[in-house]
Amino acid sequence: MNTIVDKEYFSENVVKLEVEAPLIAKARKAGHFVIVRVGEKGERIPLTIADSDTEKGTITLVVQQVGVSSLKLCNLNVGDTITDVVGPLGKATHIENFGTVVCACGGVGTAPMLPIVKSLKEHGNKVIVVLAARTKDLIILEEQMRRYADEIVIMTDDGSYGNKGLVTNGVEMVIQREKVDMCVTIGPAVMMKFVSLLTKKYDLPTLASLNTIMVDGTGMCGACRVSVGGKTKFVCVDGPEFNAHEVDFDEMMMRLDGYKEQEQEAMRKIKKCSSCDF
């Protein structure tokens, strides 16, 4: 089991957990993720590694409460243990000196973007980060991003912080003012879809880190399959990053909604019986 050594609330429903996992901390690279399980009957959920500390032997996970499993994880406190933490999984992000890179992230997608931004900067890129959220209170990791990025562009739907508008407005603003060589996008599937549509219009190479449903994380179950360039790929072993212009986002979003009714029913049950085990 892996002990939680630090916990911080970014917002009411978003929690940062620092977890003891010395072997994972030593081996992980930007883009890698873990699969965690809370309780012997718990669901396996994938979480990208936001950071690590090899001296302390810890990894940092950022969790958004969206269902029963993430609720259980967010409710754990310092000193509690996570039943299973498996990783690092997936392929590491391919990093080289591309030139100028725009990193477009929304919501908790900012967490997995952080190690990518750091690595891009270490390889000599000019890195411009577009941080987007519905409102100011949902912008996370801004201070940490500023340590590595050359520029931060803040976009909020309601205009409560930074510029009013969507992440795509921020990305297009950068593209129109200077030459951009690469875009990386992480966030909700619908956000990545529209970032991809925008960058395709400008013929700008774009990577998207996909957040599909996963079970085993080794390519055996097929739960995370997506269509990329007309071919079936498995996010857990072939990704999580793909050429965004080749991803069938509509199919991916349909599959993400496949268990929505069951998820809603599970949340209704746990609200009625907080001591029940699901």
Side-chain angles (χ1 to χ4, degrees), residues 125-260:
N125 294 280
K126 178 180 179 181
V127 184
I128 302 170
V129 178
V130 181
L131 287 180
R134 294 194 307 274
T135 186
K136 178 180 179 179
D137 292 341
L138 298 178
I139 294 288
I140 66 171
L141 296 171
E142 179 187 354
E143 180 182 343
Q144 291 88 335
M145 280 291 190
R146 290 192 184 279
R147 296 174 188 169
Y148 310 110
D150 293 274
E151 181 184 353
I152 301 285
V153 177
I154 304 290
M155 304 298 302
T156 51
D157 293 0
D158 61 3
S160 57
Y161 189 43
N163 306 286
K164 184 176 182 179
L166 303 174
V167 65
T168 46
N169 300 126
V171 172
E172 189 162 31
M173 178 179 69
V174 176
I175 293 173
Q176 289 180 344
R177 79 178 190 209
E178 63 183 278
K179 181 181 182 298
V180 177
D181 301 287
M182 171 71 72
C183 177
V184 182
T185 182
I186 308 179
V190 67
M191 185 209 88
M192 293 189 289
K193 172 185 175 178
F194 283 101
V195 169
S196 175
L197 289 173
L198 171 68
T199 58
K200 190 172 184 179
K201 182 175 72 172
Y202 288 97
D203 196 26
L204 176 62
T206 302
L207 283 178
S209 181
L210 305 187
N211 53 348
T212 54
I213 295 169
M214 292 187 192
V215 179
D216 71 336
T218 65
M220 295 295 290
C221 71
C224 66
R225 66 184 181 273
V226 291
S227 294
V228 181
K231 298 180 180 179
T232 296
K233 299 290 183 180
F234 298 98
V235 174
C236 64
V237 291
D238 298 319
E241 294 163 5
F242 298 92
N243 181 341
H245 299 158
E246 295 185 347
V247 175
D248 187 335
F249 283 103
D250 291 332
E251 178 191 65
M252 174 182 160
M253 288 187 285
M254 180 179 67
R255 289 181 57 79
L256 283 170
D257 287 340
Y259 298 98
K260 182 170 287 186

